[in-house]
């Protein structure tokens, strides 16, 4: 087992599970643990285990997914720039108020990435300095990548005035 | 003997004809290129296809200087107010080409943010099919606009006043149910504001 997993297990016993997929290690934090331990776990990975670079933050909606226990997954892809090693931290959140601690205090680069996850899935990030929509117009009320949002939307795309030739 | 002796030194024509003749041979396109069709638009302007042969080579990136808007590419809901504002900023008389499947109908992007045809929001004169259309097709569209100007144009642009109704696909009014309309303050003049549609008494419909 990798050394960083020993460190994590010693620091956060019982807070996470791990799995492996095609050589990449995943650290999975369930929804009931995530608000309390996620930030500390990321900080431990960054400051003690050498995973100093945050590649990406992505969201997943596990609605109706076979075997899923929690609904929203947020995946942090971390890289160790010294060894090139990678680890994926997957934290979960649930309705009605999906909220996770923000990683911006650790990585400034998480700012826009977390705004995108918030925009598309409605997962709030506690402690984010500027949590606004980043892609959709700010008046947009839905979270379009949620599985229960229809692919063609609810008519927002055509909710604009028409200019006729005579009046333009 | 001077040639002036053979020909009359005056010309009798209609002012409309003269205006159309000059307008159609100096269309200034506004390249509203939002996606991959824009690459084909650039090819049309460059030396191999050379839209200058038809007098339309003066592309300007300021709508104030243009009279032919070429919408090349998919338009998303955040872009609609921008597109409408640019259209309104162009001086009369002006025409619009909807270039490509996306601008004309949404193309393959039948998703929540993509407008299913720009003719729902601005008037369109010529549609160009294709994904992307060949430069020859775009040149054909410019020639069609020229013919349209020659046939219907008037010096004071009277022909546009008759086009006072919506010219887009008829499904627009039926697409969104009253219960789903977004009611938000503002209109298209304030950036990306949404507004509620005026609802008719049509029976509840199924969204396409
Ligand atoms: S019609 Fe095809 S080439 Fe043109 S913008 Fe759409 S996808 Fe791109």
């Amino acid at each position: 087992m990798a050394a960083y997993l020993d460190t994590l297990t010693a620091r956060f016993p019982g807070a996470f599970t791990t799995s492996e997929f095609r050589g990449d290690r995943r650290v999975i934090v369930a929804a009931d643990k995530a608000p309390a331990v996620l930030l500390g776990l990321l900080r431990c990975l960054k400051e003690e285990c050498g995973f100093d670079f945050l590649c990406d933050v992505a969201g997943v909606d596990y609605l109706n997914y076979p075997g899923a226990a929690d609904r929203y997954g947020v995946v942090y892809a971390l890289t160790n720039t010294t060894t090139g090693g990678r680890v994926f931290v997957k934290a979960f959140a649930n309705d009605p108020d999906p909220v996770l601690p923000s990683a911006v205090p650790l990585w400034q680069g998480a700012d826009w990435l977390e705004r995108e996850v918030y925009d598309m899935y409605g997962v709030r990030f506690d402690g984010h300095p500027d949590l606004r929509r980043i892609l959709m117009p700010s008046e947009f009320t839905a979270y379009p990548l949620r599985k229960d949002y229809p692919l063609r939307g609810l008519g927002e795309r055509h909710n604009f005035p028409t200019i006729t030739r005579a009046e333009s | 003997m001077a040639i002036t002796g053979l020909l009359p030194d005056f010309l009798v024509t209609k002012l409309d004809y003269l205006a159309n003749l000059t307008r159609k041979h100096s269309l200034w396109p506004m390249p509203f290129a939002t996606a991959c069709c824009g690459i084909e638009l650039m090819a049309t302007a460059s030396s191999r296809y050379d839209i200058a042969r038809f007098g339309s080579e003066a592309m300007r990136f300021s709508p104030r200087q243009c009279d032919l808007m070429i919408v090349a590419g998919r338009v998303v809901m955040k872009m609609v107010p921008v597109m409408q504002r640019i259209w309104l900023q162009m001086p009369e008389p002006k025409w619009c080409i909807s270039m490509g499947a996306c601008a004309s109908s949404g193309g393959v992007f039948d998703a929540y943010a993509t407008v299913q045809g720009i003719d729902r929001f601005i008037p369109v004169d010529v549609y160009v099919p294709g994904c992307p259309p060949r430069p020859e097709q775009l040149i054909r569209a410019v020639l069609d606009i020229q013919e349209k100007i020659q046939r219907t144009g008037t010096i004071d642009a009277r022909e546009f006043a008759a086009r006072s109704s919506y010219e887009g696909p008829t499904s627009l009014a039926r697409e969104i149910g009253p219960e789903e309309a977004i009611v938000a303050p503002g209109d298209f003049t304030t950036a990306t504001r949404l507004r509620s549609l005026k609802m008719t008494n049509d029976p509840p419909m199924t969204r396409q």
Side-chain angles (χ1 to χ4, degrees):
Chain A
M1 215 202 293
Y4 67 87
L5 282 181
D6 295 335
T7 316
L8 279 189
T9 314
R11 293 283 304 279
F12 305 97
F16 61 90
T17 56
T18 67
S19 65
E20 197 175 301
F21 180 73
R22 294 189 181 164
D24 282 329
R25 177 68 63 181
R26 294 187 291 213
V27 175
I28 298 158
V29 188
D32 50 342
K33 309 258 179 39
V37 305
L38 179 64
L39 191 62
L41 192 141
L42 290 173
R43 175 172 283 124
C44 176
L45 280 170
K46 179 186 179 189
E47 291 170 2
E48 294 171 37
C49 309
F51 289 98
D52 48 359
F53 179 58
L54 176 71
C55 300
D56 200 1
V57 179
V60 192
D61 186 356
Y62 284 100
L63 182 70
N64 300 332
Y65 192 82
D70 301 308
R71 178 158 180 193
Y72 304 106
V74 177
V75 185
Y76 299 80
L78 307 183
T79 300
N80 184 330
T81 51
T82 313
T83 65
R86 283 171 181 270
V87 64
F88 295 85
V89 179
K90 188 185 278 186
F92 285 92
N94 275 325
D95 279 332
D97 182 24
V99 55
L100 286 173
S102 170
V104 175
L106 296 175
W107 291 280
Q108 284 291 315
D111 186 339
W112 284 14
L113 300 172
E114 288 181 352
R115 278 177 65 187
E116 187 180 352
V117 173
Y118 166 71
D119 193 358
M120 293 290 135
Y121 296 94
V123 179
R124 284 196 306 109
F125 291 92
D126 228 1
H128 191 287
D130 183 26
L131 197 63
R132 289 176 293 131
R133 287 187 178 272
I134 189 169
L135 298 173
M136 305 306 292
S138 53
E139 296 84 4
F140 204 78
T141 48
Y143 299 107
L145 288 197
R146 286 187 176 182
K147 294 290 182 203
D148 51 5
Y149 183 78
L151 176 64
R152 287 170 173 160
L154 295 173
E156 296 97 333
R157 63 185 180 183
H158 291 152
N159 202 7
F160 291 94
T162 302
I163 300 179
T164 66
R165 188 61 187 81
E167 73 192 26
S168 61
Chain B
M1 192 166 76
I3 198 162
T4 46
L6 292 174
L7 293 172
D9 54 359
F10 58 91
L11 179 71
V12 181
T13 179
K14 285 198 287 186
L15 265 181
D16 283 351
Y17 179 86
L18 209 58
N20 294 341
L21 196 69
T22 50
R23 276 172 189 164
K24 80 172 192 180
H25 289 300
S26 69
L27 289 168
W28 288 35
M30 158 82 219
F32 193 88
T34 48
C36 14
C37 273
I39 304 297
E40 253 4 56
L41 177 59
M42 292 172 220
T44 316
S46 58
S47 55
R48 186 177 176 95
Y49 298 100
D50 196 11
I51 204 172
R53 291 177 293 156
F54 308 98
S56 303
E57 78 279 19
M59 298 232 184
R60 288 293 179 272
F61 293 89
S62 160
R64 306 275 187 207
Q65 301 175 346
C66 299
D67 55 6
L68 174 64
M69 181 151 155
I70 302 180
V71 181
R74 62 198 87 95
V75 175
V76 293
M77 51 186 282
K78 245 180 160 175
M79 206 65 187
V80 171
V82 180
M83 181 180 71
Q84 289 184 326
R85 177 171 292 198
I86 287 180
W87 171 254
L88 290 175
Q89 281 175 341
M90 286 166 55
E92 294 280 2
K94 57 194 173 186
W95 297 270
C96 178
I97 292 178
S98 166
M99 177 183 179
C102 290
S104 304
S105 71
V108 295
F109 302 96
D110 190 5
Y112 59 92
T114 313
V115 166
Q116 303 297 295
I118 60 163
D119 50 358
R120 292 166 186 265
F121 303 114
I122 62 169
V124 173
D125 291 284
V126 171
Y127 301 83
V128 190
C131 178
R134 299 266 319 161
E136 296 91 321
Q137 284 175 271
L138 186 61
I139 290 173
R140 178 73 249 174
V142 171
L143 294 179
D144 286 346
I145 289 265
Q146 289 184 352
E147 188 175 338
K148 183 169 187 172
I149 294 170
Q150 187 66 70
R151 287 193 182 186
T152 66
T154 49
I155 189 161
D156 53 357
R158 291 188 302 278
E159 79 271 22
F160 297 132
R163 295 168 61 184
S164 58
S165 57
Y166 169 72
E167 297 171 356
T170 48
S171 66
L172 173 61
R174 328 194 93 245
E175 190 167 331
I176 169 172
E179 70 283 358
E180 291 164 342
I182 299 166
V183 181
D187 62 351
F188 68 93
T189 54
T190 58
T192 60
R193 299 278 160 182
L194 303 173
R195 58 136 213 183
S196 66
L197 288 174
K198 272 195 233 77
M199 284 305 147
T200 57
N201 288 331
D202 287 344
M205 73 302 293
T206 49
R207 259 197 328 276
Q208 43 106 340

